[in-house]
Short mmCIF file of all heavy atoms in Angstrom, two decimals:
data_model
loop_
_atom_site.label_atom_id
_atom_site.label_comp_id
_atom_site.label_asym_id
_atom_site.label_seq_id
_atom_site.Cartn_x
_atom_site.Cartn_y
_atom_site.Cartn_z
N PRO A 105 50.25 56.17 53.23
CA PRO A 105 49.43 55.44 52.25
C PRO A 105 48.46 54.45 52.88
O PRO A 105 47.41 54.17 52.31
CB PRO A 105 50.48 54.72 51.38
CG PRO A 105 51.71 54.65 52.23
CD PRO A 105 51.68 55.89 53.07
N ILE A 106 48.79 53.93 54.06
CA ILE A 106 47.87 53.01 54.73
C ILE A 106 46.59 53.75 55.11
O ILE A 106 45.47 53.27 54.85
CB ILE A 106 48.52 52.41 55.99
CG1 ILE A 106 49.75 51.57 55.62
CG2 ILE A 106 47.51 51.55 56.76
CD1 ILE A 106 50.53 51.07 56.82
N LEU A 107 46.75 54.93 55.69
CA LEU A 107 45.58 55.72 56.07
C LEU A 107 44.78 56.15 54.84
O LEU A 107 43.55 56.11 54.85
CB LEU A 107 46.01 56.93 56.88
CG LEU A 107 44.89 57.83 57.42
CD1 LEU A 107 43.97 57.03 58.36
CD2 LEU A 107 45.47 59.04 58.14
N ALA A 108 45.48 56.51 53.78
CA ALA A 108 44.80 56.98 52.57
C ALA A 108 43.96 55.87 51.93
O ALA A 108 42.95 56.15 51.28
CB ALA A 108 45.82 57.51 51.58
N ALA A 109 44.37 54.62 52.13
CA ALA A 109 43.67 53.50 51.52
C ALA A 109 42.44 53.06 52.31
O ALA A 109 41.63 52.27 51.80
CB ALA A 109 44.62 52.31 51.36
N LEU A 110 42.30 53.53 53.55
CA LEU A 110 41.17 53.11 54.37
C LEU A 110 39.89 53.81 53.94
O LEU A 110 39.92 54.98 53.53
CB LEU A 110 41.45 53.41 55.85
CG LEU A 110 42.56 52.61 56.51
CD1 LEU A 110 42.78 53.09 57.94
CD2 LEU A 110 42.22 51.12 56.51
N PRO A 111 38.75 53.14 54.04
CA PRO A 111 37.48 53.80 53.70
C PRO A 111 37.16 54.88 54.74
O PRO A 111 37.53 54.75 55.91
CB PRO A 111 36.47 52.65 53.76
CG PRO A 111 37.07 51.66 54.71
CD PRO A 111 38.55 51.75 54.47
N PRO A 112 36.48 55.94 54.32
CA PRO A 112 36.08 56.95 55.30
C PRO A 112 35.09 56.36 56.30
O PRO A 112 34.22 55.56 55.92
CB PRO A 112 35.44 58.05 54.45
CG PRO A 112 35.02 57.35 53.18
CD PRO A 112 36.02 56.26 52.96
N LEU A 113 35.23 56.74 57.55
CA LEU A 113 34.36 56.23 58.60
C LEU A 113 33.44 57.33 59.10
O LEU A 113 33.84 58.49 59.25
CB LEU A 113 35.20 55.70 59.78
CG LEU A 113 36.18 54.57 59.46
CD1 LEU A 113 36.94 54.18 60.72
CD2 LEU A 113 35.46 53.37 58.87
N SER A 114 32.20 56.95 59.38
CA SER A 114 31.26 57.91 59.95
C SER A 114 31.69 58.26 61.37
O SER A 114 32.19 57.41 62.10
CB SER A 114 29.85 57.32 59.99
OG SER A 114 29.40 57.00 58.70
N PRO A 115 31.51 59.52 61.77
CA PRO A 115 31.84 59.87 63.15
C PRO A 115 31.01 59.05 64.13
O PRO A 115 29.88 58.67 63.84
CB PRO A 115 31.48 61.37 63.24
CG PRO A 115 31.45 61.84 61.82
CD PRO A 115 31.01 60.67 61.00
N ALA A 116 31.58 58.78 65.28
CA ALA A 116 30.84 58.07 66.32
C ALA A 116 29.86 59.03 66.98
O ALA A 116 30.25 60.13 67.40
CB ALA A 116 31.81 57.51 67.35
N PRO A 117 28.60 58.65 67.11
CA PRO A 117 27.68 59.50 67.87
C PRO A 117 28.16 59.65 69.30
O PRO A 117 28.73 58.72 69.87
CB PRO A 117 26.36 58.73 67.81
CG PRO A 117 26.48 57.82 66.62
CD PRO A 117 27.93 57.46 66.56
N PRO A 118 27.95 60.81 69.91
CA PRO A 118 28.35 60.96 71.32
C PRO A 118 27.69 59.89 72.18
O PRO A 118 26.54 59.50 71.96
CB PRO A 118 27.83 62.36 71.68
CG PRO A 118 27.77 63.09 70.37
CD PRO A 118 27.39 62.05 69.36
N CYS A 119 28.44 59.42 73.15
CA CYS A 119 27.96 58.34 74.03
C CYS A 119 28.25 58.72 75.47
O CYS A 119 29.32 59.25 75.79
CB CYS A 119 28.67 57.03 73.68
SG CYS A 119 28.20 55.62 74.71
N ARG A 120 27.31 58.43 76.35
CA ARG A 120 27.55 58.65 77.77
C ARG A 120 28.67 57.74 78.26
O ARG A 120 28.86 56.63 77.74
CB ARG A 120 26.28 58.39 78.58
CG ARG A 120 25.73 56.98 78.45
CD ARG A 120 24.47 56.79 79.30
NE ARG A 120 23.75 55.57 78.95
CZ ARG A 120 24.05 54.35 79.38
NH1 ARG A 120 25.08 54.18 80.21
NH2 ARG A 120 23.33 53.31 79.01
N VAL A 121 29.42 58.19 79.25
CA VAL A 121 30.40 57.37 79.95
C VAL A 121 29.98 57.36 81.42
O VAL A 121 29.99 58.39 82.08
CB VAL A 121 31.83 57.90 79.79
CG1 VAL A 121 32.81 57.07 80.61
CG2 VAL A 121 32.24 57.89 78.31
N ASP A 122 29.60 56.19 81.90
CA ASP A 122 29.08 56.08 83.26
C ASP A 122 30.19 55.98 84.31
O ASP A 122 30.01 56.40 85.45
CB ASP A 122 28.18 54.84 83.38
CG ASP A 122 27.04 54.88 82.39
OD1 ASP A 122 26.22 55.82 82.47
OD2 ASP A 122 26.95 54.00 81.53
N ARG A 123 31.31 55.42 83.90
CA ARG A 123 32.42 55.26 84.84
C ARG A 123 33.73 55.57 84.14
O ARG A 123 34.03 55.00 83.10
CB ARG A 123 32.46 53.83 85.39
CG ARG A 123 33.63 53.58 86.35
CD ARG A 123 33.61 52.16 86.89
NE ARG A 123 34.82 51.88 87.65
CZ ARG A 123 35.14 50.67 88.14
NH1 ARG A 123 34.30 49.66 87.98
NH2 ARG A 123 36.27 50.49 88.80
N GLU A 124 34.47 56.51 84.70
CA GLU A 124 35.79 56.86 84.19
C GLU A 124 36.83 56.06 84.97
O GLU A 124 36.87 56.13 86.20
CB GLU A 124 36.03 58.36 84.31
CG GLU A 124 35.04 59.19 83.51
CD GLU A 124 35.30 60.67 83.61
OE1 GLU A 124 36.38 61.07 84.11
OE2 GLU A 124 34.43 61.46 83.18
N VAL A 125 37.65 55.33 84.25
CA VAL A 125 38.59 54.43 84.90
C VAL A 125 40.01 54.97 84.82
O VAL A 125 40.31 55.86 84.02
CB VAL A 125 38.52 53.01 84.30
CG1 VAL A 125 37.11 52.44 84.45
CG2 VAL A 125 38.94 53.02 82.83
N GLU A 126 40.86 54.39 85.65
CA GLU A 126 42.27 54.76 85.72
C GLU A 126 43.12 53.50 85.70
O GLU A 126 42.61 52.39 85.93
CB GLU A 126 42.55 55.53 87.03
CG GLU A 126 41.80 56.84 87.18
CD GLU A 126 42.52 58.00 86.53
OE1 GLU A 126 43.56 57.77 85.87
OE2 GLU A 126 42.04 59.13 86.67
N ASP A 127 44.40 53.67 85.46
CA ASP A 127 45.34 52.56 85.51
C ASP A 127 45.24 51.84 86.85
O ASP A 127 45.23 52.47 87.91
CB ASP A 127 46.76 53.11 85.31
CG ASP A 127 47.80 52.00 85.24
OD1 ASP A 127 47.68 51.12 84.39
OD2 ASP A 127 48.74 52.04 86.06
N GLY A 128 45.14 50.52 86.80
CA GLY A 128 45.09 49.72 88.01
C GLY A 128 43.71 49.43 88.54
O GLY A 128 43.55 48.57 89.42
N ASP A 129 42.68 50.11 88.02
CA ASP A 129 41.31 49.78 88.43
C ASP A 129 40.99 48.34 88.04
O ASP A 129 41.49 47.83 87.04
CB ASP A 129 40.30 50.71 87.76
CG ASP A 129 40.28 52.11 88.36
OD1 ASP A 129 40.99 52.34 89.36
OD2 ASP A 129 39.60 52.98 87.79
#
Side-chain angles (χ1 to χ4, degrees):
I106 297 174
L107 183 60
L110 292 176
L113 301 179
S114 299
C119 179
R120 60 179 166 82
V121 176
D122 302 300
R123 178 179 172 186
E124 298 181 12
V125 301
E126 298 274 5
D127 184 57
D129 286 354

